[in-house]
Amino acid sequence: MGNLNKGSLLKAALWGGVALCTPMASTAAWATDVDAGDYVALPPGSNLAIVYAQFAERDAIYAKGDKQPGDPGLDSTVFILRGVHYMDIAGLTVDPQFLLPLGQLEGKGDTHALGKSGGAAGDLILAATVWLVNKPKSNTYFGITPFVYVPTGSYDRTRPLNLGENRWKFVLQGGFVKGVTPKISIDLVGDVTFYGKNNDFGSSSARLTQSASGQFQAFARYQLKPNLDFRVGGSFVTGGETRIDGIRQQDQASNWKGNVGMA
């Protein structure tokens, strides 16, 4: 179960419900999550065709850290189709890629009136990591990734739930991986997101703007076997306050998240 902070359950639904990002779908509407090991480069010539899937249930609204009364709900079922090609450009490894989200959002409980978004496509994501440091022997990598979110997804201002956001977004992300021992490595990733305008927001066709947001993510991985690791991680998201027709919504993010897993 996940929780949406600062009364953002409805806002998240209006702005796309889920941050459709690379490589995993996030439950924070301001985040571009990565997975541990994403900044480890594969050899040029490698190709990947991947499908991600996530089902999430959100069952609480928080305002200023306090849980609000009621029984709200927002469920999301999201699939992401991803294609990646690794290539060499002027001696640097680069991986141009695309991600296409597909899925559905549905209001539950006290927010059932939101209805469903229906099966639809989200905004197309274009990205390419450039590895400035690529040293497999010492397990040391540093890459920079620009992301462009293209407003191609399903969007209807009269619907409270949309997978498309009807605006451009640009993310600049940097990731560093370092092997501390032969079996232990750390991943450090930071990014900043810049948001375009949505000039057709809500039933009144209002103008939605959003300030930049930032995220920092860190992971520690322990290699159990050559093809199996255990990882723990966390992330912090901040900023991203919105304005509707110039009126501040006081909904900036300040959220921590932790995770554990194996891969």
Side-chain angles (χ1 to χ4, degrees), residues 113-251:
L114 294 174
K116 296 182 180 180
S117 66
D123 294 336
L124 176 68
I125 305 165
L126 304 175
T129 299
V130 179
W131 274 272
L132 304 179
V133 177
N134 185 358
K135 299 180 179 180
K137 290 184 179 180
S138 63
N139 193 19
T140 305
Y141 304 88
F142 174 69
I144 296 177
T145 310
F147 298 84
V148 177
Y149 289 65
V150 185
T152 58
S154 173
Y155 181 82
D156 182 344
R157 66 178 177 83
T158 64
R159 289 201 313 246
L161 296 178
N162 286 289
L163 281 178
E165 296 190 52
N166 194 41
R167 61 177 180 177
W168 293 81
K169 291 195 301 185
F170 176 75
V171 181
L172 185 62
Q173 185 177 84
F176 174 73
V177 177
K178 177 62 178 177
V180 180
T181 72
K183 288 193 173 184
I184 299 175
S185 60
I186 60 171
D187 302 55
L188 304 175
V189 181
D191 63 60
V192 59
T193 302
F194 302 94
Y195 303 86
K197 302 178 181 65
N198 179 355
N199 291 313
D200 192 24
F201 178 74
S203 58
S204 62
S205 194
R207 181 172 179 264
L208 172 71
T209 59
Q210 187 169 3
S211 61
S213 63
Q215 182 178 24
F216 177 76
Q217 303 172 74
F219 301 90
R221 287 179 290 144
Y222 181 79
Q223 210 69 34
L224 299 169
K225 296 181 180 181
N227 62 348
L228 179 66
D229 72 66
F230 173 78
R231 72 270 304 274
V232 296
S235 71
F236 176 66
V237 180
T238 185
E241 181 182 18
T242 62
R243 295 173 183 259
I244 299 177
D245 283 341
I247 300 175
R248 295 179 57 186
Q249 301 300 297
Q250 298 183 355
D251 56 356

Side-chain angles (χ1 to χ4, degrees), residues 81-147:
L81 309 180
R82 183 187 186 190
V84 190
H85 173 66
Y86 289 81
M87 58 193 301
D88 183 284
I89 299 179
L92 298 176
T93 300
V94 182
D95 71 340
Q97 59 186 283
F98 75 89
L99 300 99
L100 180 63
L102 305 165
Q104 177 176 282
L105 308 172
E106 181 178 4
K108 294 290 187 68
D110 292 346
T111 49
H112 73 279
L114 294 174
K116 296 182 180 180
S117 66
D123 294 336
L124 176 68
I125 305 165
L126 304 175
T129 299
V130 179
W131 274 272
L132 304 179
V133 177
N134 185 358
K135 299 180 179 180
K137 290 184 179 180
S138 63
N139 193 19
T140 305
Y141 304 88
F142 174 69
I144 296 177
T145 310
F147 298 84

